Amino acid sequence: MHVITKVLSVLVALEFLYIFYLETLATTSEKTSSVFGMTTEELSQKNVKVLFKNQGVYNGLLSVLGGCSVWKPDQQSEDHPDAGRTGHPDADLLHLLSSCARVLYFPG
């Protein structure tokens, strides 16, 4: 990754982390109210709090994955020892992530 790409990725990951904080940890705060244009009474409703926390966890995971992508070493070679069965180093990770998504969103 080029330096500018890493810097932008870190900024986006920090933004997702901030949204995670607002939606998950500070759901009924004045700051959350002003950022999302809702009253604190609306944010205090049980259904809204559950929806915000769910979306906050999603944003937190995006933040973690974005941060991990910055510090993951570049692997360009197809003959790299971590390349897995497909010949591409990231293919096994993508397969794992898609399998987890299928289990989470389509259980059964």
Side-chain angles (χ1 to χ4, degrees):
M1 248 189 223
H2 295 334
V3 174
I4 190 73
T5 307
K6 287 186 179 189
V7 169
L8 292 174
S9 296
V10 167
L11 290 175
V12 170
L14 289 173
E15 181 181 16
F16 278 124
L17 189 63
Y18 178 64
I19 295 170
F20 162 78
Y21 167 75
L22 288 176
E23 292 178 336
T24 307
L25 304 175
T27 308
T28 58
S29 71
E30 289 294 325
K31 185 65 179 173
T32 304
S33 174
S34 67
V35 167
F36 292 105
M38 299 175 72
T39 65
T40 53
E41 292 80 24
E42 291 173 320
L43 292 172
S44 297
Q45 295 175 7
K46 182 181 178 186
N47 290 339
V48 174
K49 285 170 56 174
V50 169
L51 291 172
F52 262 62
K53 289 182 188 301
N54 180 34
Q55 189 66 31
V57 169
Y58 171 78
N59 284 304
L61 289 173
L62 286 177
S63 174
V64 168
L65 290 174
C68 288
S69 71
V70 171
W71 285 281
K72 177 185 163 290
D74 291 332
Q75 298 172 343
Q76 302 288 331
S77 174
E78 288 189 10
D79 59 2
H80 191 277
D82 294 333
R85 65 186 176 283
T86 61
H88 191 276
D90 295 329
D92 290 336
L93 175 63
L94 291 174
H95 177 70
L96 174 66
L97 290 174
S98 66
S99 297
C100 290
R102 279 195 299 266
V103 169
L104 290 173
Y105 291 107
F106 305 107

